[in-house]
Amino acid sequence: MLNLKPDVVARLERVLSSVEMLLPRTVKPVDWSACYAANWRRHSFSGYLEPVRVTDTTRLSELLGVEKQIEVMEHNTRQFLAGLPANNALLWGSRGTGKSSIIKALLNEYAPQGLRVIQIEKEDLIYLSEIFSVVEDQPYRFILLCDDLTFEPGELSYKMLKSALDGSVYSPPENVLIYVTSNRRHLLPEYETDQRGGMFVNGELQQSEVMEEKISLSDRFGLWVAFYAFSQDRYLDAVRLAITREARERQVEIPLTKELEQEAIKWSHDKSKRCGRTAYQFSKNYVGRYLLAKQQG
């Protein structure tokens, strides 16, 4: 038996502790029969899927102002669930207009038919192949969701996503689709100088090499689904729906008055945005104040 000095033993213990921290965590596989969603959690050189409890109960019928977008995404998702050809999708446009809400509502609608969602952060796209290998033999259909995605030029995760969409060795298995939401149509910042270098060929203006590269990633999504800010009438419809839903959950009656509409319009002016998110935030504020006044009244 080695007779090591105490300081050597202490150093060895520190080294072993450091190595242990780098080793992959021992985690149970996700029970997809009971769990509808998971997040990819990075750990040292790899990561693992962490089950997520779905608390958002939004249904597709509750989303206003995005009927055409719902139709496109629902058809594509139903094709996917049926084992038929379907496309990866880029949902882009104005913030707060329902891009992420549609994905959540699709999960709530079609989880009983085998739909599952895995959310991944931009920085973890380098682990796509590992995620695919974890779920490829599962009897479920997975949407890999990267929410609010934007890139800066040269990021490694940009190249990994591009490779996956290209159908390279990193391409997803048959039971995985990639859905991405972003405020940017091309996922990269665009500048006036990007247009320089374009040229006319046979009378047509061809994109500059810079723009061609910026378009090249978004162009690999089979579906582009655009979202826009609401009209005032559509925004007020969303406010009424959000107020009614909050009241129903608390089993109370809240009158939809003209004064409520005026407050909602002022709220949207203060937020400089008419969209579903603004309507939802206003409903939280209004219902909270209304019920507090009743309690104190």
Side-chain angles (χ1 to χ4, degrees):
M1 185 173 177
L2 292 174
N3 186 18
L4 299 176
K5 295 180 180 180
D7 62 323
V8 174
V9 172
R11 284 201 296 270
L12 286 173
E13 287 177 346
R14 287 198 298 272
V15 169
L16 288 173
S17 297
S18 299
V19 170
E20 189 174 39
M21 290 178 63
L22 293 174
L23 292 174
R25 287 187 55 179
T26 302
V27 294
K28 293 181 180 179
V30 176
D31 179 7
W32 293 110
S33 64
C35 174
Y36 295 162
N39 284 330
W40 177 260
R41 292 295 184 194
R42 190 190 321 181
H43 180 72
S44 64
F45 303 115
S46 183
Y48 58 94
L49 288 175
E50 178 183 67
V52 173
R53 183 166 170 259
V54 177
T55 57
D56 191 313
T57 60
T58 303
R59 311 295 293 194
L60 292 171
S61 59
E62 295 176 320
L63 299 176
L64 287 177
V66 287
E67 289 80 8
K68 290 182 179 178
Q69 292 90 336
I70 288 173
E71 183 180 0
V72 171
M73 293 303 299
E74 188 172 18
H75 273 291
N76 192 64
T77 304
R78 288 174 60 190
Q79 290 166 213
F80 176 53
L81 285 170
L84 301 173
N87 277 301
N88 299 310
L90 169 61
L91 292 73
W92 71 276
S94 190
R95 68 188 189 279
T97 47
K99 301 183 292 293
S100 302
S101 295
I102 284 183
I103 310 298
K104 295 172 185 174
L106 283 169
L107 178 61
N108 290 333
E109 206 78 36
Y110 291 103
Q113 281 78 34
L115 186 66
R116 301 292 184 264
V117 168
I118 296 172
Q119 185 154 339
I120 183 172
E121 299 297 327
K122 175 182 73 171
E123 295 78 11
D124 295 330
L125 287 169
I126 58 175
Y127 300 109
L128 280 178
S129 60
E130 294 183 41
I131 297 173
F132 295 157
S133 67
V134 171
V135 301
E136 62 182 346
D137 295 324
Q138 293 289 332
Y140 300 95
R141 297 262 151 179
F142 295 89
I143 289 174
L144 187 75
L145 171 63
C146 196
D147 202 15
D148 198 22
L149 179 63
T150 56
F151 290 108
E152 296 302 323
E155 289 191 83
L156 178 59
S157 53
Y158 173 93
K159 296 179 181 179
M160 294 298 293
L161 179 58
K162 192 173 177 180
S163 294
L165 295 169
D166 257 340
S168 70
V169 292
Y170 299 110
S171 61
E174 175 268 342
N175 65 335
V176 177
L177 273 187
I178 299 173
Y179 285 179
V180 165
T181 72
S182 179
N183 296 335
R184 294 173 176 169
R185 180 175 49 168
H186 298 313
L187 302 173
L188 286 163
E190 297 180 34
Y191 309 104
E192 284 186 32
T193 54
D194 293 345
Q195 300 294 341
R196 295 175 186 168
M199 62 182 68
F200 283 92
V201 177
N202 296 326
E204 289 189 24
L205 179 62
Q206 302 294 314
Q207 298 276 7
S208 69
E209 289 184 5
V210 173
M211 279 307 299
E212 283 286 349
E213 173 59 25
K214 290 194 172 183
I215 294 171
S216 67
L217 177 58
S218 57
D219 199 42
R220 283 163 169 76
F221 289 92
L223 291 179
W224 284 8
V225 185
F227 290 73
Y228 304 99
F230 289 1
S231 66
Q232 181 165 292
D233 287 343
R234 185 60 82 184
Y235 166 68
L236 290 175
D237 285 340
V239 167
R240 295 185 195 100
L241 179 65
I243 295 285
T244 301
R245 186 181 177 194
E246 290 284 345
R248 185 174 64 244
E249 287 180 356
R250 289 160 179 78
Q251 299 181 327
V252 296
E253 290 286 335
I254 298 180
L256 302 175
T257 63
K258 199 70 179 175
E259 289 73 19
L260 183 153
E261 290 185 3
Q262 293 303 316
E263 279 198 51
I265 291 170
K266 182 180 184 304
W267 181 276
S268 70
H269 290 166
D270 291 343
K271 300 282 286 187
S272 302
K273 190 77 174 179
R274 288 195 303 259
C275 63
R277 181 182 295 159
T278 302
Y280 174 76
Q281 292 168 343
F282 171 77
S283 74
K284 289 285 188 184
N285 178 271
Y286 185 88
V287 172
R289 287 190 292 113
Y290 180 88
L291 295 179
L292 184 61
K294 283 192 70 173
Q295 289 176 5
Q296 296 174 345

